[in-house]
Amino acid sequence: MGSGRPPTPLLGLVLLLLAAPLAGARQPAYKDPRKPVAARVRDLLKRMTLSEKIGQMTQIERAVASADVMKEYAIAAARSVPAARASAKEWLDMVNGLQKGSLSTRLGIPMIYGIDAATIFPHNVGLGVTRDPELVKKIGAATYAFAPCIAVCRDPRWGRCYESYSEDPKIVEMMTEIIPGFRGSPGGLPWGVPFVAGKEKVAACAKHFVGDGGRPRGLLGIHMPGYYRAVVKGVSTVMISYSSWNGKKMHANRELVTGFLKNKLRFRGFVISDWQGIDRITSPPGANYTYSVLTSINAGLDMIMVPFDYRGFISNLTFLVQNKFIPISRIDDAVRRILRVKFTMGLFESPLSDLSLASHIGSPEHRELAREAVRKSLVLLKNGKDGGEPLLPLTKSAPKILVAGSHADNLGYQCGGWTMEWQGVSGNDVTVGTTILAAVRAAVAPSTEVVFSENPDRSFVEKGGFSYAIVAVGETPYAETKGDSQNLTVTEPGGAAVSAACGGSVRCVVVLVTGRPVVVEPFMGAVDALVAAWLPGTEGQGVADVLFGDYGFSGKLARTWFRSPAQLPMNVGDRHYDPLFPFGFGLTTKPRKGSESP
């Protein structure tokens, strides 16, 4: 006892008492997945500094992102591709590298990674034709993107019209069934609550709120119903449109963003700007950036797609809050919404990407689903001249056939914009897929000679001994304003190819690969059959499946096909409605009995 040391049992008791409070502080409530999301959000929000909150309202471009930047500024989200045609491993390494920076912050809040992803599926302009919500739900389950676009395009001169399912709001509402495909089935969650069912699902983003592709009337009756359905179905985020309504930029429209979307529709996810969207509140863009930050945040935007000058955004927003131009309650509302989505996505439990999931990308099951979508999206506009014999379905056993046109052997053209690159690409090294030409060659009998000539002359066609010709022409890829057009014509030399192949004695079918209706009346008399294939994506076999009668044509136009651009805008229900092909038009065929074997 003379040593002054306590007996061993007493020492153990002291250590136990010291350890008890340490054990109680081992894990903050927000890191406990057993607790309700609302409790986790409350706990995390009260721990955050102003700088951490503002970081959570910031999305940046990959070009300026690094693990150090994510850590220093507590950045909420990043976006864009690691490199052109990057592999799955390159994607994983990039995203996980940035995520590790986020996880090393004081609170360890994981980032969200957003992407306008390329897809092997047909674009929305074709999917609307199917009027098949179960099909798009399956597509949602196989797709990863800033989607769906639930714009109601009322004028095909707009360069984003192919991103819209239809000019009819009822079809757009129907197609919001893609959202449960993206995020999985929630099972009894309250109205408007965002939901993501595990790491194989993604947060859906409804865009672009609201009225893009529209006219100055019909906001509530035409453009808003899709958002009502999206909120009901648990969409996680809503992206704001570049457009204006009654002269006010949507990024500055508090009445619609906060008053209608958040309060009336009771949307509980977060609202995100479009790319540099707040810059465009002023004219010219960025002329008064402090004003743009002030107006957009007070309007109700929660996360800003900056995308490059994040320091400028953060410093402006910090100044505006510290000087009480923006109340801290508005900041807390934004961060609460962002955290709610991150918790429901399971990011705090599974923040890193899993390379094993890469096997799903381009899987045979997904490609077969895309092929089905192509078949159902085709619209047969003409089949036979002047009451004569129909040309379709084509025989597979013809001795010799011609395939022509700029879009017959170009996978990039089939996919259109937003594929691999923003404006799309040309060529067949884009991704794995099947061109229309390759699909035709696979479909016909081994004895059939298939001759391809992209731009044949009339003499070649007439002297070639062809049983029939398939001519694939259309538009070259574009995205956003690059696609705005006043003439809406087939890209040359497409018209020349149609004239050469279809203007003589050889019967021909023209396949239009376009993002919208285009001018076709000048060559309607020359063609035997006309098919709208829209932008079918990588699975060209879907086109051949229907041309050769393995499946019948079933698609009906989801938008009006005009005679001349001078008639536009013109939509079903308009007082003066004189289209070449009306909304809902589409000839049908039945599968060929027994279906010829190739």
Side-chain angles (χ1 to χ4, degrees), residues 373-393:
V374 174
R375 292 194 294 261
K376 291 182 175 180
S377 68
L378 302 178
V379 180
L380 181 57
L381 299 173
K382 180 179 180 179
N383 192 19
K385 285 184 181 177
D386 301 325
E389 282 293 311
L391 176 60
L392 303 178

Side-chain angles (χ1 to χ4, degrees), residues 45 92 98 117 168 187 190 207 381 563 582:
L45 188 62
L92 180 138
L98 297 177
D168 179 7
K207 63 181 189 180
L381 299 173
R563 297 178 184 277

